[in-house]
Amino acid sequence: MNLITSRNPIQMQAWLESLRPKTLPLGIAPIITGSALAYWSGAFTLSIALLALLTAAALQILSNLANDYGDAVKGSDTEQRLGPLRGIQKGIISLAEMKVALKITIFICCLFGLTLIIVAGRTPKDIIGFLILGVIAITAAITYTVGKKPYGYLGLGDISVLIFFGWLSVIGTYYLHTNYFNLMTLLPATACGLLSVAVLNVNNMRDIDNDIKAGKNTLAVRLGAKGARQYHAALILIAIFCLILFSLLYLHHWTGWLFLLAIPMLLNHIKKIIHDTTAEGMKPLLENMVKAALLTNILFSIGLILN
């Protein structure tokens, strides 16, 4: 069976394409932000941060593999799709092999997640709560495109990304470090989540024509090309506003404003999104949005640490 461990260079490349390592910043950015908030609050633990990063990366990979599997089963990934062709599309990876890879990745997610809960859990209530959240996160990663009614096909992917890549990841990481919930973390968590939603939106704008044909009703499909671009600009501007408001309320040193260095990149990205109305033009802007989101979160986190 040609699993990830195959020595065939073509097969290994196909698996690498399905793993999509370039998307990993989406998973690790909220962990960095949540850990930086904890450090700023005086309650940072390195082992918790590292285990949270590993768990988030594993969940991101699980989501990527499940997305490939689900889209392949439903026929959404075709040769007309503008995004890069994956292993299943090329016929290099079979559906049965992808199922095995999914099971292995689920096991890895559980292994990292359970270890994180054991290390960070302080009370039975916390342990049970994070176990439930872990199961929900794994289920959400799979059912985005897999199942009879995947929520990614119903236009619910955006709210899911906001919840899991923003609120739960940032606030959950902060709680694992500090063992308490602080309302002020909601602002950076929302900003982080909205920037991740913007990444998804670029991806959906790129694939809008193919998704319409496949019956994949993403929010971009529902809004239409013009509406999706206006929505995209709003996501980024609201994210910037959340970080500015947090800095005004809680940070009292100039280093708390380091994230402003990323704003020209974000605004330039919005300008390109608004003016380039072609699906082909979205291809380079997808990677650009990932980099912009990661840069914003890193600069904000550095500012917190220096404060």
Side-chain angles (χ1 to χ4, degrees):
M1 183 171 287
N2 301 322
L3 292 177
I4 301 174
T5 54
S6 171
R7 295 182 180 180
N8 186 318
I10 296 177
Q11 292 164 356
M12 291 187 70
Q13 179 62 31
W15 280 109
L16 188 62
E17 290 169 352
S18 291
L19 292 174
R20 304 184 210 179
K22 290 183 179 180
T23 65
L24 290 183
L26 294 179
I28 67 174
I31 307 302
I32 293 173
T33 301
S35 295
L37 283 165
Y39 184 91
W40 175 67
S41 299
F44 175 82
T45 304
L46 181 60
S47 59
I48 291 175
L50 292 176
L51 285 169
L53 285 170
L54 290 171
T55 303
L59 284 168
Q60 180 64 49
I61 290 172
L62 174 63
S63 178
N64 293 340
L65 294 178
N67 186 53
D68 282 9
Y69 178 83
D71 283 344
V73 169
K74 290 175 174 56
S76 301
D77 281 352
T78 65
E79 292 182 357
Q80 285 72 43
R81 179 175 173 271
L82 290 177
L85 294 177
R86 308 298 179 191
I88 296 179
Q89 292 172 276
K90 295 176 180 179
I92 300 173
I93 301 172
S94 69
L95 291 176
E97 290 168 341
M98 185 58 77
K99 275 187 176 181
V100 174
L102 284 169
K103 291 177 181 177
I104 293 172
T105 311
I106 290 172
F107 173 78
I108 293 172
C109 288
C110 292
L111 180 63
F112 287 149
L114 287 171
T115 305
L116 173 61
I117 292 171
I118 291 171
V119 171
R122 294 175 176 86
T123 67
K125 184 174 70 172
D126 288 347
I127 293 172
I128 293 172
F130 276 100
L131 282 173
I132 293 172
L133 287 176
V135 172
I136 293 174
I138 291 174
T139 302
I142 296 172
T143 55
Y144 178 71
T145 57
V146 176
K148 293 183 178 180
K149 291 185 178 180
Y151 64 88
Y153 282 65
L154 302 175
L156 299 176
D158 296 59
I159 186 63
S160 174
V161 168
L162 175 59
I163 291 172
F164 287 100
F165 289 82
W167 297 334
L168 287 183
S169 292
V170 175
I171 297 173
T173 300
Y174 180 85
Y175 186 92
L176 287 169
H177 282 286
T178 64
N179 198 36
Y180 69 90
F181 168 75
N182 194 322
L183 188 61
M184 61 94 180
T185 59
L186 188 59
L187 284 170
T190 300
C192 188
L194 290 175
L195 292 175
S196 293
V197 174
V199 173
L200 175 64
N201 190 53
V202 178
N203 181 79
N204 290 340
M205 284 192 290
R206 181 197 65 192
D207 296 337
I208 191 168
D209 293 331
N210 189 66
D211 286 345
I212 291 173
K213 294 176 184 178
K216 187 176 183 179
N217 295 315
T218 62
L219 191 55
V221 170
R222 294 179 183 275
L223 293 173
K226 182 179 179 180
R229 281 164 173 75
Q230 294 172 341
Y231 165 65
H232 190 81
L235 289 171
I236 295 174
L237 293 176
I238 294 172
I240 293 173
F241 171 77
C242 287
L243 295 180
I244 290 175
L245 183 58
F246 180 88
S247 295
L248 285 171
L249 292 174
Y250 301 108
L251 302 182
H252 308 292
H253 192 265
W254 68 267
T255 56
W257 297 91
L258 281 177
F259 69 89
L260 292 178
L261 295 174
I263 287 184
M265 185 177 183
L266 290 169
L267 295 181
N268 186 52
H269 174 85
I270 292 176
K271 181 181 177 181
K272 290 180 178 178
I273 284 287
I274 296 297
H275 287 90
D276 193 334
T277 58
T278 65
E280 188 71 30
M282 296 301 101
K283 293 173 68 175
L285 291 180
L286 178 58
E287 185 175 349
N288 176 259
M289 187 63 234
V290 173
K291 291 178 179 178
L294 182 62
L295 177 64
T296 304
N297 280 285
I298 289 177
L299 288 174
F300 176 73
S301 297
I302 291 173
L304 284 171
I305 293 170
L306 294 179
N307 257 259

